[in-house]
Amino acid sequence: AAYGFTIKRIQAGVFMIWLFLVLFMIIWHQKRKIPLVRWAVFSGAVLFTLLCILPLEAMFLSAIEKVVA
């Protein structure tokens, strides 16, 4: 249980997903001119909103209970 999902690990994972999206948008911006900053801020806002809305602790506690039982 010490190496399982924690809120900090989920937040770090979501941040890495956002960094990957920004990297992908930078590569795409080199081929096609897109509003890079606007899309990066929007995608960050969407991911942050999902982190705030989703009940992460409840989802992981129920998943741990299924594994333990």
Side-chain angles (χ1 to χ4, degrees):
Y3 297 107
F5 285 121
T6 62
I7 298 301
K8 289 183 181 182
R9 288 185 179 144
I10 297 303
Q11 290 172 343
V14 170
F15 180 69
M16 288 189 283
I17 290 170
W18 180 76
L19 284 178
F20 174 76
L21 287 173
V22 171
L23 175 67
F24 179 75
M25 285 187 274
I26 289 172
I27 293 170
W28 193 19
H29 180 70
Q30 292 176 353
K31 299 190 184 295
R32 220 175 186 199
K33 297 302 178 194
I34 60 170
L36 182 64
V37 174
R38 185 179 302 159
W39 285 21
V41 169
F42 179 74
S43 64
V46 168
L47 288 174
F48 181 73
T49 303
L50 286 175
L51 276 177
C52 292
I53 290 176
L54 292 177
L56 296 177
E57 293 176 1
M59 291 190 312
F60 295 126
L61 287 178
S62 66
I64 290 172
E65 288 174 356
K66 289 179 184 176
V67 171
V68 173

